[in-house]
Amino acid sequence: MLASTNSRDAYTPDPRPAVEVFLGVGSNTQRQRHLRIAICDLQHILRDIRCSPVYESAAIGLEAPAFHNLVVRGSTCLQLPKLSRALKELELKHGRNRESPAVVTLDVDILIYGEREGCVDGRVLPSEELLTRAYVLKPMSQLAPEKLHPLTGLSYASLWAEFELED
C-alpha cells in the first residue's frame, strides 16, 4: 500500500513538518492512462498536489515511443528514503520493468526534496535534469516560475528562457 496518514498503510508519515517536493513523472506506454492513475495514487503519498501541464518529448538515447511528462508539486512528512520506496512501489504497481528500458509505463523521479542539496541517499539533489532536460525544466518553469534553483540562484522561468535561447 502507498503512504498516507492512514495508520494501516505501509508508510506512516513522520511527525516532522511537511517538506515541499517536486517530482518528474513520465510514461511512454498508455501514457494518458498511466499518468492519470499516477496522479490519483500520488494523492496517497503527497498533500496539496499541483501539476504542470503535460508535455510530449522524444525518447533520449533509445528507440522508443515518445513520452508524456509533467512535474508534480506536493508536500510530505515522509523521509527521503521512505518517499523513494513509495514511488518505486508506485512504478511497480503500474508495471514498470527496468529490464525493458524502451517500455516505460511509469517513471517517477524526485527532482527536489525540501532544501536538500548534494548527494543524499544515493541521489543528487536537486536533480541535474532540472538544468539539462527540457521535459523537466519547461513544466517546472510553469509550475513554479518564481522558485529559485538552489545552486544557480535563478528562477525556473529564467532558466527556461535561457534554455530556449540555447536551442
Side-chain angles (χ1 to χ4, degrees), residues 23-34:
L23 308 175
V25 182
S27 175
N28 75 349
T29 305
Q30 297 179 340
R31 303 174 305 185
Q32 291 180 356
R33 176 182 175 273
H34 286 290

Side-chain angles (χ1 to χ4, degrees), residues 3-165:
S4 78
T5 56
N6 201 330
S7 62
R8 318 174 281 197
D9 294 333
Y11 296 100
T12 304
D14 295 322
R16 305 180 204 204
V19 174
E20 181 180 53
V21 297
F22 289 84
L23 308 175
V25 182
S27 175
N28 75 349
T29 305
Q30 297 179 340
R31 303 174 305 185
Q32 291 180 356
R33 176 182 175 273
H34 286 290
L35 292 181
R36 186 173 46 253
I37 296 170
I39 299 305
C40 290
D41 287 346
L42 283 170
Q43 292 178 20
H44 297 285
I45 300 171
L46 304 176
R47 293 188 310 238
D48 306 319
I49 287 180
R50 288 187 12 235
C51 299
S52 74
V54 175
Y55 292 95
E56 184 171 277
S57 64
I60 298 174
L62 61 131
E63 287 289 321
F67 281 80
H68 275 182
N69 296 287
L70 72 145
V71 171
V72 174
R73 181 237 162 251
S75 60
T76 184
C77 292
L78 294 175
Q79 292 179 357
L80 184 57
K82 287 183 178 183
L83 175 61
S84 183
R85 281 194 306 272
L87 297 175
K88 293 304 170 209
E89 281 187 17
L90 178 60
E91 290 178 344
L92 289 173
K93 176 183 173 183
H94 283 267
R96 178 74 189 266
N97 179 355
R98 294 189 183 277
E99 293 178 19
S100 300
V103 177
V104 180
T105 53
L106 185 65
D107 182 39
V108 184
D109 297 317
I110 300 169
L111 303 173
I112 296 173
Y113 182 88
E115 301 299 318
R116 303 289 287 275
E117 292 181 32
C119 190
V120 182
D121 290 327
R123 77 186 75 247
V124 176
L125 292 173
S127 172
E128 295 168 330
E129 290 183 341
L130 285 164
L131 298 176
T132 61
R133 302 290 190 204
Y135 63 83
V136 176
L137 182 54
K138 184 173 183 176
M140 185 68 179
S141 73
Q142 292 196 317
L143 185 59
E146 301 307 316
K147 184 170 180 62
L148 302 180
H149 186 280
L151 303 179
T152 67
L154 298 172
S155 72
Y156 287 101
S158 297
L159 289 167
W160 177 245
E162 287 182 19
F163 194 91
E164 280 188 307
L165 291 174

